[in-house]
Amino acid sequence: MQLVLVLVGAFIIFILSTLTGGGASLLLMPLVALVVGVKAVAPVMAISIGMSSTSKVFFFWRYIDWKLFAWLFPSTIVGSLIGARMFATLSADFLQILIGLLLLSTVFQWNRKEKKTGFKVKAWHFAPMGLVVAFLSGLIGGVGPLMNSAYLNYGISKESLLGTRSANAILLHITKIISYAYYGYVTGEVLKFGIMIGISSMIAVYFGKLILSKISELLFRKIVVASMVASGILMLWKNKDYIQDLVL
């Protein structure tokens, strides 16, 4: 019964993820933990999100910004390898709180008149940003839509954001899977649940694409910013005990 609930929940989460430009990992973490335990969450998500990203690339292939992908390519590999290497040795509570605050700060960057957020981002900026995000993703399993503001500020369309982000996500999650496997975290159970959730996610992406075609660019931007703020609140809530310990 738990597995059915997880698969249904994953289906809904990945439809929302398609509409918000990502962020499935934050909502998926507690669901996956129900069936495989906390320590297996990161490798299971790497498999399932890698599969969902593959389906997004299939649907949005012609919108991918290959210039951005080229800047992201090396930093994504290096960052995810380092993050996965440190996965078993570091406590990531403080990092999750920091990421939550960064996501939450997106609400203060929103500029309704210009219909975009924050400062102007150039293509080369994605190399250092991709390194940091890939490292954090390898370390704690997922960072939500942390780079979405950069994509929006760069000025790409909703389809281009999804396609480019997903192409990079495939690279990120393949690297993470290989690293987790090398360090012994990819077991038969991890593969089973990762693939099952991944299949559910691939079907969800199709329905998400149908809904996406019906909404405007401005509404998409608003949904993305709202999802980033919601992801930040969720990440902080998940670590409320750690925050209380720091404060007290």
PDB file of all heavy atoms in Angstrom, residues 70-100:
ATOM      1  N   ALA A  70      26.646  23.665 -22.960  1.00  0.00           N
ATOM      2  CA  ALA A  70      28.107  23.561 -23.095  1.00  0.00           C
ATOM      3  C   ALA A  70      28.816  24.182 -21.889  1.00  0.00           C
ATOM      4  O   ALA A  70      29.838  23.665 -21.419  1.00  0.00           O
ATOM      5  CB  ALA A  70      28.561  24.242 -24.385  1.00  0.00           C
ATOM      6  N   TRP A  71      28.284  25.289 -21.385  1.00  0.00           N
ATOM      7  CA  TRP A  71      28.876  25.915 -20.193  1.00  0.00           C
ATOM      8  C   TRP A  71      28.642  25.062 -18.940  1.00  0.00           C
ATOM      9  O   TRP A  71      29.479  25.024 -18.028  1.00  0.00           O
ATOM     10  CB  TRP A  71      28.281  27.303 -19.980  1.00  0.00           C
ATOM     11  CG  TRP A  71      28.882  28.364 -20.845  1.00  0.00           C
ATOM     12  CD1 TRP A  71      28.303  28.978 -21.923  1.00  0.00           C
ATOM     13  CD2 TRP A  71      30.182  28.944 -20.715  1.00  0.00           C
ATOM     14  NE1 TRP A  71      29.161  29.905 -22.479  1.00  0.00           N
ATOM     15  CE2 TRP A  71      30.330  29.903 -21.756  1.00  0.00           C
ATOM     16  CE3 TRP A  71      31.244  28.745 -19.831  1.00  0.00           C
ATOM     17  CZ2 TRP A  71      31.492  30.661 -21.918  1.00  0.00           C
ATOM     18  CZ3 TRP A  71      32.409  29.497 -19.997  1.00  0.00           C
ATOM     19  CH2 TRP A  71      32.519  30.442 -21.030  1.00  0.00           C
ATOM     20  N   LEU A  72      27.512  24.381 -18.895  1.00  0.00           N
ATOM     21  CA  LEU A  72      27.168  23.578 -17.719  1.00  0.00           C
ATOM     22  C   LEU A  72      27.875  22.216 -17.697  1.00  0.00           C
ATOM     23  O   LEU A  72      28.112  21.655 -16.627  1.00  0.00           O
ATOM     24  CB  LEU A  72      25.654  23.346 -17.674  1.00  0.00           C
ATOM     25  CG  LEU A  72      24.793  24.532 -17.265  1.00  0.00           C
ATOM     26  CD1 LEU A  72      23.337  24.305 -17.655  1.00  0.00           C
ATOM     27  CD2 LEU A  72      24.911  24.770 -15.767  1.00  0.00           C
ATOM     28  N   PHE A  73      28.202  21.687 -18.870  1.00  0.00           N
ATOM     29  CA  PHE A  73      28.679  20.312 -19.009  1.00  0.00           C
ATOM     30  C   PHE A  73      29.844  19.950 -18.075  1.00  0.00           C
ATOM     31  O   PHE A  73      29.709  19.041 -17.240  1.00  0.00           O
ATOM     32  CB  PHE A  73      29.062  20.057 -20.474  1.00  0.00           C
ATOM     33  CG  PHE A  73      29.428  18.637 -20.770  1.00  0.00           C
ATOM     34  CD1 PHE A  73      28.473  17.742 -21.219  1.00  0.00           C
ATOM     35  CD2 PHE A  73      30.736  18.182 -20.604  1.00  0.00           C
ATOM     36  CE1 PHE A  73      28.806  16.425 -21.494  1.00  0.00           C
ATOM     37  CE2 PHE A  73      31.082  16.875 -20.870  1.00  0.00           C
ATOM     38  CZ  PHE A  73      30.124  15.990 -21.324  1.00  0.00           C
ATOM     39  N   PRO A  74      31.001  20.632 -18.151  1.00  0.00           N
ATOM     40  CA  PRO A  74      32.131  20.207 -17.304  1.00  0.00           C
ATOM     41  C   PRO A  74      31.902  20.434 -15.816  1.00  0.00           C
ATOM     42  O   PRO A  74      32.268  19.599 -14.982  1.00  0.00           O
ATOM     43  CB  PRO A  74      33.305  21.051 -17.828  1.00  0.00           C
ATOM     44  CG  PRO A  74      32.676  22.227 -18.484  1.00  0.00           C
ATOM     45  CD  PRO A  74      31.362  21.751 -19.024  1.00  0.00           C
ATOM     46  N   SER A  75      31.280  21.577 -15.476  1.00  0.00           N
ATOM     47  CA  SER A  75      31.085  21.890 -14.059  1.00  0.00           C
ATOM     48  C   SER A  75      30.088  20.936 -13.402  1.00  0.00           C
ATOM     49  O   SER A  75      30.207  20.606 -12.223  1.00  0.00           O
ATOM     50  CB  SER A  75      30.622  23.338 -13.885  1.00  0.00           C
ATOM     51  OG  SER A  75      29.439  23.589 -14.604  1.00  0.00           O
ATOM     52  N   THR A  76      29.105  20.473 -14.174  1.00  0.00           N
ATOM     53  CA  THR A  76      28.127  19.521 -13.644  1.00  0.00           C
ATOM     54  C   THR A  76      28.790  18.199 -13.286  1.00  0.00           C
ATOM     55  O   THR A  76      28.532  17.621 -12.217  1.00  0.00           O
ATOM     56  CB  THR A  76      27.003  19.278 -14.674  1.00  0.00           C
ATOM     57  OG1 THR A  76      26.279  20.491 -14.866  1.00  0.00           O
ATOM     58  CG2 THR A  76      26.046  18.198 -14.183  1.00  0.00           C
ATOM     59  N   ILE A  77      29.648  17.696 -14.145  1.00  0.00           N
ATOM     60  CA  ILE A  77      30.345  16.432 -13.885  1.00  0.00           C
ATOM     61  C   ILE A  77      31.247  16.552 -12.662  1.00  0.00           C
ATOM     62  O   ILE A  77      31.197  15.731 -11.746  1.00  0.00           O
ATOM     63  CB  ILE A  77      31.161  15.996 -15.121  1.00  0.00           C
ATOM     64  CG1 ILE A  77      30.235  15.645 -16.276  1.00  0.00           C
ATOM     65  CG2 ILE A  77      32.047  14.799 -14.771  1.00  0.00           C
ATOM     66  CD1 ILE A  77      30.953  15.276 -17.546  1.00  0.00           C
ATOM     67  N   VAL A  78      32.063  17.595 -12.634  1.00  0.00           N
ATOM     68  CA  VAL A  78      33.019  17.772 -11.527  1.00  0.00           C
ATOM     69  C   VAL A  78      32.279  17.971 -10.201  1.00  0.00           C
ATOM     70  O   VAL A  78      32.600  17.337  -9.185  1.00  0.00           O
ATOM     71  CB  VAL A  78      33.951  18.976 -11.803  1.00  0.00           C
ATOM     72  CG1 VAL A  78      34.826  19.261 -10.582  1.00  0.00           C
ATOM     73  CG2 VAL A  78      34.823  18.703 -13.022  1.00  0.00           C
ATOM     74  N   GLY A  79      31.276  18.851 -10.204  1.00  0.00           N
ATOM     75  CA  GLY A  79      30.546  19.138  -8.969  1.00  0.00           C
ATOM     76  C   GLY A  79      29.820  17.933  -8.417  1.00  0.00           C
ATOM     77  O   GLY A  79      29.853  17.670  -7.210  1.00  0.00           O
ATOM     78  N   SER A  80      29.159  17.159  -9.282  1.00  0.00           N
ATOM     79  CA  SER A  80      28.409  15.993  -8.807  1.00  0.00           C
ATOM     80  C   SER A  80      29.328  14.893  -8.301  1.00  0.00           C
ATOM     81  O   SER A  80      29.001  14.186  -7.341  1.00  0.00           O
ATOM     82  CB  SER A  80      27.499  15.454  -9.921  1.00  0.00           C
ATOM     83  OG  SER A  80      28.242  15.137 -11.077  1.00  0.00           O
ATOM     84  N   LEU A  81      30.507  14.732  -8.923  1.00  0.00           N
ATOM     85  CA  LEU A  81      31.479  13.735  -8.450  1.00  0.00           C
ATOM     86  C   LEU A  81      31.975  14.078  -7.051  1.00  0.00           C
ATOM     87  O   LEU A  81      32.046  13.209  -6.173  1.00  0.00           O
ATOM     88  CB  LEU A  81      32.662  13.651  -9.418  1.00  0.00           C
ATOM     89  CG  LEU A  81      32.442  12.904 -10.735  1.00  0.00           C
ATOM     90  CD1 LEU A  81      33.647  13.064 -11.647  1.00  0.00           C
ATOM     91  CD2 LEU A  81      32.158  11.423 -10.470  1.00  0.00           C
ATOM     92  N   ILE A  82      32.304  15.340  -6.838  1.00  0.00           N
ATOM     93  CA  ILE A  82      32.789  15.765  -5.521  1.00  0.00           C
ATOM     94  C   ILE A  82      31.686  15.644  -4.478  1.00  0.00           C
ATOM     95  O   ILE A  82      31.912  15.156  -3.361  1.00  0.00           O
ATOM     96  CB  ILE A  82      33.310  17.217  -5.579  1.00  0.00           C
ATOM     97  CG1 ILE A  82      34.506  17.318  -6.530  1.00  0.00           C
ATOM     98  CG2 ILE A  82      33.715  17.694  -4.184  1.00  0.00           C
ATOM     99  CD1 ILE A  82      34.958  18.748  -6.787  1.00  0.00           C
ATOM    100  N   GLY A  83      30.472  16.068  -4.834  1.00  0.00           N
ATOM    101  CA  GLY A  83      29.356  15.995  -3.894  1.00  0.00           C
ATOM    102  C   GLY A  83      29.024  14.567  -3.506  1.00  0.00           C
ATOM    103  O   GLY A  83      28.803  14.261  -2.328  1.00  0.00           O
ATOM    104  N   ALA A  84      28.989  13.655  -4.500  1.00  0.00           N
ATOM    105  CA  ALA A  84      28.694  12.250  -4.210  1.00  0.00           C
ATOM    106  C   ALA A  84      29.794  11.618  -3.367  1.00  0.00           C
ATOM    107  O   ALA A  84      29.520  10.761  -2.521  1.00  0.00           O
ATOM    108  CB  ALA A  84      28.523  11.479  -5.516  1.00  0.00           C
ATOM    109  N   ARG A  85      31.047  12.040  -3.591  1.00  0.00           N
ATOM    110  CA  ARG A  85      32.160  11.508  -2.800  1.00  0.00           C
ATOM    111  C   ARG A  85      32.012  11.878  -1.336  1.00  0.00           C
ATOM    112  O   ARG A  85      32.333  11.090  -0.442  1.00  0.00           O
ATOM    113  CB  ARG A  85      33.481  12.061  -3.355  1.00  0.00           C
ATOM    114  CG  ARG A  85      34.719  11.723  -2.495  1.00  0.00           C
ATOM    115  CD  ARG A  85      34.958  10.220  -2.482  1.00  0.00           C
ATOM    116  NE  ARG A  85      36.054   9.861  -1.615  1.00  0.00           N
ATOM    117  CZ  ARG A  85      35.950   9.575  -0.327  1.00  0.00           C
ATOM    118  NH1 ARG A  85      34.741   9.642   0.264  1.00  0.00           N
ATOM    119  NH2 ARG A  85      36.988   9.227   0.387  1.00  0.00           N
ATOM    120  N   MET A  86      31.490  13.072  -1.072  1.00  0.00           N
ATOM    121  CA  MET A  86      31.352  13.546   0.308  1.00  0.00           C
ATOM    122  C   MET A  86      30.010  13.159   0.917  1.00  0.00           C
ATOM    123  O   MET A  86      29.763  13.441   2.093  1.00  0.00           O
ATOM    124  CB  MET A  86      31.525  15.068   0.337  1.00  0.00           C
ATOM    125  CG  MET A  86      32.882  15.537  -0.168  1.00  0.00           C
ATOM    126  SD  MET A  86      33.047  17.342  -0.211  1.00  0.00           S
ATOM    127  CE  MET A  86      33.098  17.710   1.536  1.00  0.00           C
ATOM    128  N   PHE A  87      29.137  12.515   0.131  1.00  0.00           N
ATOM    129  CA  PHE A  87      27.788  12.143   0.568  1.00  0.00           C
ATOM    130  C   PHE A  87      27.802  11.337   1.862  1.00  0.00           C
ATOM    131  O   PHE A  87      26.968  11.534   2.744  1.00  0.00           O
ATOM    132  CB  PHE A  87      27.114  11.343  -0.550  1.00  0.00           C
ATOM    133  CG  PHE A  87      25.811  10.685  -0.169  1.00  0.00           C
ATOM    134  CD1 PHE A  87      24.683  11.437   0.088  1.00  0.00           C
ATOM    135  CD2 PHE A  87      25.713   9.303  -0.100  1.00  0.00           C
ATOM    136  CE1 PHE A  87      23.482  10.837   0.420  1.00  0.00           C
ATOM    137  CE2 PHE A  87      24.517   8.689   0.231  1.00  0.00           C
ATOM    138  CZ  PHE A  87      23.401   9.457   0.494  1.00  0.00           C
ATOM    139  N   ALA A  88      28.750  10.398   1.971  1.00  0.00           N
ATOM    140  CA  ALA A  88      28.768   9.482   3.120  1.00  0.00           C
ATOM    141  C   ALA A  88      29.458  10.064   4.345  1.00  0.00           C
ATOM    142  O   ALA A  88      29.368   9.500   5.433  1.00  0.00           O
ATOM    143  CB  ALA A  88      29.458   8.173   2.723  1.00  0.00           C
ATOM    144  N   THR A  89      30.150  11.192   4.188  1.00  0.00           N
ATOM    145  CA  THR A  89      30.994  11.662   5.285  1.00  0.00           C
ATOM    146  C   THR A  89      30.529  12.950   5.952  1.00  0.00           C
ATOM    147  O   THR A  89      30.953  13.252   7.057  1.00  0.00           O
ATOM    148  CB  THR A  89      32.432  11.870   4.775  1.00  0.00           C
ATOM    149  OG1 THR A  89      32.412  12.808   3.690  1.00  0.00           O
ATOM    150  CG2 THR A  89      33.020  10.553   4.271  1.00  0.00           C
ATOM    151  N   LEU A  90      29.663  13.713   5.294  1.00  0.00           N
ATOM    152  CA  LEU A  90      29.280  15.014   5.840  1.00  0.00           C
ATOM    153  C   LEU A  90      27.813  15.074   6.257  1.00  0.00           C
ATOM    154  O   LEU A  90      26.964  14.462   5.625  1.00  0.00           O
ATOM    155  CB  LEU A  90      29.534  16.113   4.812  1.00  0.00           C
ATOM    156  CG  LEU A  90      30.986  16.449   4.478  1.00  0.00           C
ATOM    157  CD1 LEU A  90      31.018  17.589   3.469  1.00  0.00           C
ATOM    158  CD2 LEU A  90      31.779  16.821   5.712  1.00  0.00           C
ATOM    159  N   SER A  91      27.546  15.813   7.325  1.00  0.00           N
ATOM    160  CA  SER A  91      26.170  16.120   7.697  1.00  0.00           C
ATOM    161  C   SER A  91      25.711  17.316   6.860  1.00  0.00           C
ATOM    162  O   SER A  91      26.369  18.355   6.821  1.00  0.00           O
ATOM    163  CB  SER A  91      26.086  16.463   9.187  1.00  0.00           C
ATOM    164  OG  SER A  91      24.812  16.965   9.497  1.00  0.00           O
ATOM    165  N   ALA A  92      24.579  17.157   6.181  1.00  0.00           N
ATOM    166  CA  ALA A  92      24.148  18.185   5.232  1.00  0.00           C
ATOM    167  C   ALA A  92      23.043  19.086   5.783  1.00  0.00           C
ATOM    168  O   ALA A  92      22.447  19.855   5.033  1.00  0.00           O
ATOM    169  CB  ALA A  92      23.673  17.521   3.944  1.00  0.00           C
ATOM    170  N   ASP A  93      22.743  19.011   7.066  1.00  0.00           N
ATOM    171  CA  ASP A  93      21.638  19.789   7.634  1.00  0.00           C
ATOM    172  C   ASP A  93      21.825  21.290   7.412  1.00  0.00           C
ATOM    173  O   ASP A  93      20.901  21.996   7.000  1.00  0.00           O
ATOM    174  CB  ASP A  93      21.507  19.512   9.138  1.00  0.00           C
ATOM    175  CG  ASP A  93      21.029  18.099   9.422  1.00  0.00           C
ATOM    176  OD1 ASP A  93      20.271  17.572   8.584  1.00  0.00           O
ATOM    177  OD2 ASP A  93      21.419  17.525  10.440  1.00  0.00           O
ATOM    178  N   PHE A  94      23.026  21.775   7.703  1.00  0.00           N
ATOM    179  CA  PHE A  94      23.280  23.214   7.570  1.00  0.00           C
ATOM    180  C   PHE A  94      23.149  23.654   6.122  1.00  0.00           C
ATOM    181  O   PHE A  94      22.604  24.724   5.828  1.00  0.00           O
ATOM    182  CB  PHE A  94      24.674  23.559   8.098  1.00  0.00           C
ATOM    183  CG  PHE A  94      24.989  25.030   8.041  1.00  0.00           C
ATOM    184  CD1 PHE A  94      24.451  25.901   8.978  1.00  0.00           C
ATOM    185  CD2 PHE A  94      25.800  25.543   7.035  1.00  0.00           C
ATOM    186  CE1 PHE A  94      24.715  27.256   8.918  1.00  0.00           C
ATOM    187  CE2 PHE A  94      26.070  26.900   6.975  1.00  0.00           C
ATOM    188  CZ  PHE A  94      25.537  27.760   7.914  1.00  0.00           C
ATOM    189  N   LEU A  95      23.646  22.829   5.180  1.00  0.00           N
ATOM    190  CA  LEU A  95      23.541  23.153   3.760  1.00  0.00           C
ATOM    191  C   LEU A  95      22.086  23.222   3.312  1.00  0.00           C
ATOM    192  O   LEU A  95      21.703  24.092   2.522  1.00  0.00           O
ATOM    193  CB  LEU A  95      24.282  22.105   2.922  1.00  0.00           C
ATOM    194  CG  LEU A  95      25.807  22.163   2.974  1.00  0.00           C
ATOM    195  CD1 LEU A  95      26.401  20.994   2.199  1.00  0.00           C
ATOM    196  CD2 LEU A  95      26.319  23.477   2.410  1.00  0.00           C
ATOM    197  N   GLN A  96      21.253  22.316   3.811  1.00  0.00           N
ATOM    198  CA  GLN A  96      19.837  22.331   3.448  1.00  0.00           C
ATOM    199  C   GLN A  96      19.162  23.608   3.934  1.00  0.00           C
ATOM    200  O   GLN A  96      18.303  24.174   3.247  1.00  0.00           O
ATOM    201  CB  GLN A  96      19.132  21.095   4.008  1.00  0.00           C
ATOM    202  CG  GLN A  96      19.568  19.797   3.332  1.00  0.00           C
ATOM    203  CD  GLN A  96      18.639  18.647   3.656  1.00  0.00           C
ATOM    204  OE1 GLN A  96      17.440  18.819   3.716  1.00  0.00           O
ATOM    205  NE2 GLN A  96      19.206  17.475   3.848  1.00  0.00           N
ATOM    206  N   ILE A  97      19.537  24.065   5.127  1.00  0.00           N
ATOM    207  CA  ILE A  97      18.981  25.314   5.656  1.00  0.00           C
ATOM    208  C   ILE A  97      19.410  26.494   4.791  1.00  0.00           C
ATOM    209  O   ILE A  97      18.602  27.371   4.453  1.00  0.00           O
ATOM    210  CB  ILE A  97      19.439  25.525   7.119  1.00  0.00           C
ATOM    211  CG1 ILE A  97      18.797  24.460   8.021  1.00  0.00           C
ATOM    212  CG2 ILE A  97      19.076  26.926   7.605  1.00  0.00           C
ATOM    213  CD1 ILE A  97      19.360  24.429   9.420  1.00  0.00           C
ATOM    214  N   LEU A  98      20.681  26.513   4.389  1.00  0.00           N
ATOM    215  CA  LEU A  98      21.189  27.595   3.551  1.00  0.00           C
ATOM    216  C   LEU A  98      20.466  27.622   2.200  1.00  0.00           C
ATOM    217  O   LEU A  98      20.061  28.689   1.722  1.00  0.00           O
ATOM    218  CB  LEU A  98      22.697  27.413   3.335  1.00  0.00           C
ATOM    219  CG  LEU A  98      23.379  28.457   2.430  1.00  0.00           C
ATOM    220  CD1 LEU A  98      23.218  29.856   3.026  1.00  0.00           C
ATOM    221  CD2 LEU A  98      24.858  28.116   2.254  1.00  0.00           C
ATOM    222  N   ILE A  99      20.286  26.455   1.603  1.00  0.00           N
ATOM    223  CA  ILE A  99      19.584  26.374   0.320  1.00  0.00           C
ATOM    224  C   ILE A  99      18.131  26.833   0.479  1.00  0.00           C
ATOM    225  O   ILE A  99      17.590  27.543  -0.367  1.00  0.00           O
ATOM    226  CB  ILE A  99      19.638  24.939  -0.230  1.00  0.00           C
ATOM    227  CG1 ILE A  99      21.080  24.590  -0.623  1.00  0.00           C
ATOM    228  CG2 ILE A  99      18.713  24.776  -1.438  1.00  0.00           C
ATOM    229  CD1 ILE A  99      21.285  23.131  -0.920  1.00  0.00           C
ATOM    230  N   GLY A 100      17.501  26.426   1.582  1.00  0.00           N
ATOM    231  CA  GLY A 100      16.128  26.847   1.849  1.00  0.00           C
ATOM    232  C   GLY A 100      16.002  28.358   1.916  1.00  0.00           C
ATOM    233  O   GLY A 100      15.067  28.946   1.366  1.00  0.00           O
TER     234      GLY A 100
END
